[in-house]
Amino acid sequence: MSSKPRLYSGMQPSAESLQIGNYIGALLNWKALQQTHDAYFSIVDLHAITVAQDPALLRENTRRTAAQYIAAGIDPSASTLYVQSHVPAHAQLAWVLNTITGFGEASRMTQFKDKSARQGTDATTVGLFAYPTLMAADILLYDTQIVPVGEDQRQHVELTRDLAERFNSRFGPTFTVPEVSIVRDTAKIYDLQNPAAKMSKSAESHAGVIWVLDEPSVTAKKIMRAVTDADGGVVFDRENKPGVSNLLTIYSVMAERSVQSLEDEYAGRGYGDLKKGLVEVVAGTFGPIRERVQELLGDPAELERLLAHNAERAASVADVTLARAYAGVGLLPRTSQ
Ligand code: TYM
């Protein structure tokens, strides 16, 4: 086993493209952390089906998400990059965790409350309700020490910690209790049209969502139309200038420059220039990623071979933890014939 600390994270293949919040809030950190950690990155297709998906599109989006991980810099030979449903232990451990999760504590998950409110009671499924216990299973199966995510996932990782501690105290030491890792400045990228709301793949309108795989002209239009304010000053002030502050955060991360240096450069020049600068930086970063994604998708058999190989590596770790958890709760092992 590697002596590096174990890291786990994942993304849903719930759209054709990732959005810039996924890229900044998660992928960029993953890329840096894979150097120093024994990293596991999954494409969480079992989570994606907690809301209705078109089956053919889900298969395609799963490949596309994998391709975007790799194109953005995840190295599938150094990190274990795989599809969640290829490792059956995830669903199996999730079931066990369901049995130690309180109905009340699952009901308090804000993502569940938001999503179920949006979908209406009739469309809300037991799967959506149990989403966080499946996420806890993902994390706990790998003896994970750190979980790098955006701010919206903090509560789920805290639930994971509670479940690990509860299981360990009820059934004996079984799981490593993970820590959440959130990069404060980029933990939440906001919608360009509504800078009070998180940018999201499932936003009702896509006018304020920047997609990694969009044509540069489409992205440029969205950035040029981003909501700002009447004040005119290029200054970071989250409270009073949320739109401009969001653009500055995105610009600063994508250009690897401090917010201060951007404020200095654009002082007295107005929002139009700031936006034009951002358009260039985004096009410069996403252009090569788009090309690489096309290359990878041009050879789906090779991509799937790689995912299968990594799933095997993941399963060999996950199966050991699952067996420990099954034994802990007292499930009778099936003996070999
Ligand atoms: P998902 O697919 O919604 O998002 C993937 C990652 O992107 C981050 N993110 C953002 N960060 C900053 N600003 C935004 N606007 C923004 N939008 C999304 C998310 O915080 C996340 O890190 N439940 C998870 C997937 C998951 C998982 C796991 C994560 C399943 N099992 C185990 C970690 C460990 C999710 O819905 O991600």
Side-chain angles (χ1 to χ4, degrees):
M1 189 178 143
S2 163
S3 58
K4 293 178 183 170
R6 190 62 73 69
L7 174 153
Y8 194 97
S9 204
M11 279 194 208
Q12 300 190 64
S14 48
E16 281 175 44
S17 169
L18 300 177
Q19 42 90 3
I20 201 169
N22 302 131
Y23 180 77
I24 291 177
L27 260 179
L28 270 183
N29 301 328
W30 297 2
K31 188 178 155 188
L33 288 163
Q34 70 178 345
Q35 315 280 347
T36 46
H37 290 73
D38 179 21
Y40 285 71
F41 298 119
S42 59
I43 297 143
V44 294
D45 52 351
L46 296 173
H47 277 113
I49 59 168
T50 58
V51 300
Q53 301 285 345
D54 173 86
L57 209 54
L58 177 62
R59 268 189 291 277
E60 184 53 24
N61 290 346
T62 301
R63 285 191 208 97
R64 291 174 80 92
T65 305
Q68 286 173 88
Y69 280 18
I70 297 169
I74 300 304
D75 174 357
S77 57
S79 299
T80 306
L81 188 177
Y82 70 101
V83 176
Q84 183 189 35
S85 65
H86 292 178
V87 179
H90 289 252
Q92 293 169 298
L93 181 62
W95 179 257
V96 174
L97 295 177
N98 280 337
T99 68
I100 65 159
T101 306
F103 189 84
E105 77 188 327
S107 309
R108 284 192 292 277
M109 295 292 117
T110 53
Q111 275 219 329
F112 171 71
K113 286 198 275 189
D114 291 351
K115 281 194 188 171
S116 55
R118 249 186 284 144
Q119 305 216 75
T121 323
D122 289 348
T124 299
T125 63
V126 174
L128 189 64
F129 187 60
Y131 181 110
T133 48
L134 177 60
M135 179 161 160
D138 299 343
I139 296 167
L140 298 180
L141 278 172
Y142 296 90
D143 292 325
T144 301
Q145 284 148 291
I146 93 156
V147 186
V149 283
E151 183 58 43
D152 59 340
Q153 297 301 315
R154 181 193 294 278
Q155 197 188 24
H156 290 159
V157 182
E158 276 164 8
L159 175 72
T160 304
R161 290 170 54 83
D162 289 346
L163 294 177
E165 282 166 0
R166 187 173 309 156
F167 192 102
N168 289 348
S169 79
R170 233 177 251 182
F171 301 110
T174 308
F175 297 127
T176 301
V177 181
E179 302 284 341
V180 69
S181 161
I182 296 177
V183 178
R184 198 175 53 90
D185 293 341
T186 55
K188 198 168 177 183
I189 300 298
Y190 297 85
D191 189 288
L192 298 192
Q193 285 301 316
N194 177 11
K198 181 189 76 161
M199 192 184 287
S200 165
K201 288 190 227 107
S202 52
E204 256 166 48
S205 156
H206 290 168
V209 180
I210 301 181
W211 301 101
V212 174
L213 300 180
D214 253 354
E215 288 296 323
S217 59
V218 175
T219 301
K221 256 190 216 133
K222 287 181 178 172
I223 292 176
M224 295 311 292
R225 287 181 189 156
V227 166
T228 49
D229 53 61
D231 163 70
V234 178
V235 177
F236 189 95
D237 177 349
R238 173 77 66 217
E239 280 282 288
N240 302 307
K241 298 167 71 69
V244 174
S245 303
N246 190 39
L247 295 178
L248 281 168
T249 302
I250 298 173
Y251 199 148
S252 142
V253 176
M254 302 290 281
E256 299 185 48
R257 288 180 55 183
S258 69
V259 167
Q260 177 69 59
S261 84
L262 294 171
E263 285 175 342
D264 293 347
E265 180 178 339
Y266 289 100
R269 289 174 55 193
Y271 300 147
D273 277 4
L274 174 77
K275 289 174 171 177
K276 278 188 207 141
L278 179 57
V279 165
E280 267 181 41
V281 168
V282 172
T285 307
F286 287 168
I289 293 182
R290 275 212 331 275
E291 274 174 30
R292 182 80 183 109
V293 165
Q294 290 318 324
E295 267 171 39
L296 289 159
L297 292 176
D299 190 353
E302 171 59 17
L303 187 62
E304 286 176 21
R305 195 196 55 76
L306 191 145
L307 290 171
H309 174 72
N310 277 1
E312 236 171 77
R313 207 155 76 194
S316 68
V317 176
D319 289 348
V320 174
T321 316
L322 179 71
R324 210 159 62 222
Y326 269 19
V329 294
L331 302 180
L332 179 68
R334 188 182 68 189
T335 51
S336 39
Q337 289 172 351

